[in-house]
Amino acid sequence: MKKTTQNKDVIILAVESSCDETSVAIVKNGREVLSNVISSQIDIHKLYGGVVPEIAARNHIVNIDLVADKALNEANLTMSDITAIAVTYGAGLLGALIVGVNFAKALSYRYNKPLIAVNHIEGHICANYIAHADLKPPFACLIVSGGHTALCEMTSYTTRKLIGTTTDDAIGEAFDKVARECGLAYPGGPNVEKQALLGKKSINFITKPHEKLKDFNFSYSGLKTAVINYIHNKRQKGEEINVPDVCKSFQDEAISQVVFKSIEACKKFGFKTLALAGGVSASKALRAAAEAEGVKAGIKVVYPPLVLCTDNAAMVGAAGYFCYIEGKNIASNLSLAPSSTVAL
Ligand code: KG4
Ligand code: ZN
């Protein structure tokens, strides 16, 4: 039987295709996920050691209609129940974004529904509203993904103030490079985490330079290079590399930097809640370290469930909802263009 929705309910059909996940979700009133279908291309890109943009775009084209159909079916709704369409317009791989954006534009035009352009990172942040019904701005948010490492103050549901950002590489990128050097499969982060569970922190790659810096910016290129140099040196000497120890030593250092800076910022600016967002927030080691330091400082640490940490459309539906009710980011279904980079 078809589900009934209240007239005042805002039902968002959301589309995400910025990287290698084709996803469509139906989200009610920004916090309730009616369906969240994710078609992952990981097994294809694994063969190449990373995401191949052209292959990602082609697979989005193959998948997107079926994924959207499944999302509506699982929610037990039809297009007439949908209030608005939300789509990630950036940041991401341009060819991949074009598929989702054009699909959303066509739906918006055909069914005469408003179109909302969503910043992918805002989506990651808003995954926390789905997971924590009582979470309200202001709070601090640490965004850690393959392309971002940033700390923000969420000043409202749709606005934020940057507190710190990476001056070079993103933390997820460092995880992925270290994984590749260690011969671990793509995506690197989860595999580094698995290896780290078997290892000891026996290698001192770098001695906490972030604790001496007075600002809240991050840096990962020094740590990444230290790990790569260590591995190359060992190889040149024909010595064995202890992959679990390399992973554990790198991971502890990588995590301690974001946790240290985030907790210090919360203390300085008086935030009582720190939310984690983005693919790297799937790291159990990061969650545990942030929670442990949070307890010491009297700061509540929250994060989304694993399925909402990595790329998915439900988070885009949550972000789209808050834009919709505030009348922000309403886009043209004829001219919305994707963008490979978007300011945080
Ligand atoms: O948010 P996301 O899915 O895509 C981007 O928007 O970038 O994040 C992907 C990143 C990758 O660098 C991946 O290695 C990392 O998140 N990641 C992890 C873990 N799971 C995913 N990093 C560390 N530990 C994990 N368990
Ligand atoms: Zn992402």
Side-chain angles (χ1 to χ4, degrees):
M1 203 175 63
K2 190 174 162 319
K3 264 187 199 157
T4 50
T5 52
Q6 303 289 316
N7 271 346
K8 58 182 181 349
D9 286 335
V10 174
I11 311 286
I12 304 279
L13 181 149
V15 180
E16 158 65 40
S17 72
S18 64
C19 193
D20 59 342
E21 258 93 32
T22 320
S23 181
V24 176
I26 315 287
V27 178
K28 185 165 137 185
N29 301 329
R31 303 219 186 219
E32 192 185 335
V33 179
L34 302 183
S35 64
N36 184 25
V37 179
I38 305 168
S39 168
S40 173
Q41 305 175 15
I42 280 184
D43 288 341
I44 301 167
H45 298 285
K46 224 178 218 169
L47 305 172
Y48 305 94
V51 178
V52 183
E54 174 72 18
I55 295 177
R58 286 171 187 229
N59 279 285
H60 286 313
I61 292 173
V62 172
N63 294 332
I64 199 151
D65 296 280
L66 296 172
V67 168
D69 224 36
K70 196 160 179 235
L72 278 167
N73 282 338
E74 282 185 12
N76 219 351
L77 297 177
T78 66
M79 281 307 292
S80 61
D81 301 303
I82 302 298
T83 315
I85 320 275
V87 63
T88 300
Y89 76 99
L93 303 170
L94 207 51
L97 287 165
I98 285 171
V99 180
V101 166
N102 278 345
F103 182 76
K105 280 159 79 176
L107 278 187
S108 159
Y109 186 81
R110 160 70 178 81
Y111 293 99
N112 197 22
K113 309 279 180 188
L115 180 66
I116 304 149
V118 172
N119 174 344
H120 181 77
I121 291 300
E122 197 160 304
H124 275 302
I125 297 167
C126 289
N128 280 289
Y129 296 127
I130 297 172
H132 307 283
D134 52 349
L135 181 66
K136 289 191 192 92
F139 59 89
C141 186
L142 172 69
I143 301 136
V144 277
S145 74
H148 288 84
T149 310
L151 187 61
C152 287
E153 172 187 353
M154 301 308 298
T155 44
S156 78
Y157 286 102
T158 57
T159 56
R160 59 209 159 268
K161 211 159 76 189
L162 192 65
I163 299 171
T165 186
T166 180
T167 52
D168 41 59
D169 297 343
I171 182 171
E173 190 186 338
F175 266 94
D176 292 337
K177 290 268 160 59
V178 166
R180 193 186 279 215
E181 284 298 323
C182 289
L184 303 172
Y186 170 84
N191 288 324
V192 168
E193 182 166 33
K194 270 188 215 138
Q195 288 293 318
L197 287 173
L198 309 171
K200 306 180 293 303
K201 191 174 186 303
S202 61
I203 313 155
N204 212 359
F205 287 122
I206 207 156
T207 44
K208 302 197 186 311
H210 53 274
E211 291 190 4
K212 297 183 195 93
L213 297 173
K214 294 281 170 269
D215 60 22
F216 293 106
N217 288 329
F218 307 97
S219 169
Y220 279 94
S221 85
L223 175 60
K224 181 189 79 181
T225 309
V227 179
I228 293 172
N229 287 346
Y230 172 88
I231 293 174
H232 287 182
N233 253 314
K234 284 264 177 196
R235 282 208 186 111
Q236 275 162 3
K237 291 185 200 152
E239 291 175 16
E240 281 275 305
I241 297 155
N242 183 327
V243 171
D245 278 13
V246 168
C247 290
K248 171 75 176 154
S249 305
F250 159 76
Q251 182 179 267
D252 277 11
E253 190 59 47
I255 286 175
S256 89
Q257 184 180 156
V258 277
V259 171
F260 175 82
K261 293 253 167 166
S262 303
I263 298 292
E264 286 303 301
C266 286
K267 287 200 268 189
K268 178 167 176 186
F269 300 115
F271 298 117
K272 288 286 161 223
T273 303
L274 170 68
L276 310 180
V280 183
S281 68
S283 161
K284 293 191 186 72
L286 169 60
R287 292 162 173 226
E291 275 176 329
E293 292 305 312
V295 166
K296 284 188 215 159
I299 293 154
K300 184 177 175 193
V301 175
V302 298
Y303 41 78
L306 287 182
V307 68
L308 298 181
C309 286
T310 44
D311 293 345
N312 67 89
M315 68 185 198
V316 178
Y321 167 80
F322 292 110
C323 289
Y324 178 79
I325 57 168
E326 291 186 18
K328 287 185 172 166
N329 295 5
I330 309 298
S332 157
N333 56 23
L334 292 177
S335 63
L336 174 64
S339 175
S340 57
T341 56
V342 175
L344 196 70

